[in-house]
Amino acid sequence: MGWLQCCPRGTSGVPFASVVATVLCFSGVALFCGCGHEALAGTERLIETYFSKNYQDYEYLMHVINAFQYVIYGTAAFFFLYGALLLAEGFYTTTAIRHIFGDFKTTIFGKGLTATITGGPVKGRGSRAHQPVHSLERLCHCIGKWLGHPDKFVGVTYAVTLLWILVFACSAVPVYIFFNTWTTCNSIAFPSKTSASISTLCADARMYGVLPWNAFPGRVCGSNLLSICKTSEFQMTFHLFIAAFVGAAATLISLLTFMIAATHNFAVLKVMGRSDSTKF
């Protein structure tokens, strides 16, 4: 009976939607950043090996790829911090709602996570009051002021979601390009499925804006293209882009889940008249 009574009480303060969204966010971002980084590196090798022999033709593309790889590092760091902050907000606001409805059962994890973000409870005045406040402690107290105010997280998460929809759409572009190339290779491998001549079936990197129109050769046709599609490098890069696309989709779903959960919490606190008194 002890376990049967303890488990419901221990899980009553857990924001399951935020926990699921956090796991989905971290795994999706890890998949997007890791696979996207390696896919961009594989694309660079394919371009310089098969589609252009002049470095000046793809020099700008290399700079763009390197810039995207650095952006990926920043994206991973941002979502790790923001996801942890949203999880802390979920615990904090869920505790407030449970307190309103008379089911106030905080979990040890929720207390520890909230105390870590907020810097812990305020101490009494004493010898500590004269000690200098570190910048990290200032940051924790500043972040702690946001906890218990889901309306702020709704606005920020809404803006992040709009930006991520653009990232999600952009991640579909390389998948589309590689899928078209793979479809062309299948037509070359099985000529009976198409009425066109094999020599006229090509993959032109210039057509997608990857290379300038004066790049040479810029495209690969026929059996040469089929040999490229059979390489492990092409297949690995194609599958990495697909995995990055799936990771972007998972991250988008997690952001929508975060936004729905924060909107629900804000609505409940607002209706119950506790929107301004959730800090306790």
Side-chain angles (χ1 to χ4, degrees):
M1 292 298 295
W3 282 103
L4 294 177
Q5 294 176 355
C6 181
C7 289
R9 292 180 180 179
T11 59
S12 61
V14 176
F16 292 102
S18 296
V19 172
V20 172
T22 302
V23 174
L24 195 61
C25 178
F26 285 170
S27 47
V29 169
L31 194 63
F32 172 78
C33 293
C35 295
H37 184 278
E38 292 303 315
L40 289 174
T43 302
E44 181 178 351
R45 291 190 294 267
L46 288 173
I47 291 295
E48 64 185 6
T49 303
Y50 301 107
F51 288 90
S52 181
K53 302 300 182 182
N54 187 4
Y55 177 75
Q56 294 181 350
D57 292 338
Y58 57 88
E59 180 180 7
Y60 177 74
L61 177 64
M62 298 301 105
H63 291 311
V64 172
I65 289 178
N66 292 333
F68 278 146
Q69 288 176 334
Y70 282 109
V71 170
I72 285 176
Y73 299 146
T75 301
F78 169 78
F79 273 97
F80 176 78
L81 296 175
Y82 192 64
L85 186 59
L86 287 174
L87 181 60
E89 165 63 19
F91 274 100
Y92 206 96
T93 311
T94 301
T95 301
I97 294 175
R98 295 295 182 184
H99 182 76
I100 292 173
F101 288 101
D103 190 19
F104 180 57
K105 305 291 183 182
T106 58
T107 62
I108 296 177
F109 180 74
K111 290 180 179 179
L113 182 61
T114 303
T116 302
I117 297 295
T118 59
V122 180
K123 305 293 183 180
R125 293 188 178 182
S127 59
R128 180 178 173 85
H130 301 285
Q131 296 179 359
V133 180
H134 298 288
S135 58
L136 180 60
E137 188 175 353
R138 292 175 182 267
L139 178 61
C140 288
H141 282 296
C142 180
I143 294 175
K145 294 180 180 179
W146 279 53
L147 296 181
H149 296 278
D151 54 323
K152 298 180 180 179
F153 286 94
V154 171
V156 176
T157 307
Y158 181 78
V160 174
T161 303
L162 290 180
L163 292 176
W164 195 256
I165 289 176
L166 180 61
V167 174
F168 174 69
C170 292
S171 65
V173 174
V175 176
Y176 171 75
I177 295 174
F178 273 83
F179 178 77
N180 281 349
T181 305
W182 177 75
T183 303
T184 304
C185 288
N186 283 340
S187 299
I188 297 174
F190 303 97
S192 59
K193 295 183 178 181
T194 178
S195 59
S197 174
I198 295 180
S199 60
T200 60
L201 298 176
C202 305
D204 195 340
R206 301 169 298 181
M207 182 177 63
Y208 301 105
V210 178
L211 293 175
W213 282 107
N214 58 354
F216 181 81
R219 67 175 185 174
V220 181
C221 304
S223 59
N224 292 330
L225 178 60
L226 182 60
S227 62
I228 294 175
C229 292
K230 290 181 178 180
T231 60
S232 59
E233 191 172 26
F234 175 87
Q235 296 179 8
M236 178 62 69
T237 304
F238 184 23
H239 288 92
L240 284 173
F241 273 125
I242 294 177
F245 177 75
V246 173
T251 306
L252 180 60
I253 294 174
S254 70
L255 288 173
L256 293 174
T257 305
F258 273 130
M259 190 165 57
I260 293 172
T263 303
H264 170 266
N265 291 337
F266 172 67
V268 171
L269 294 174
K270 193 71 173 178
V271 170
M272 299 301 295
R274 296 294 299 269
S275 60
D276 295 326
S277 57
T278 58
K279 289 189 172 286
F280 52 89

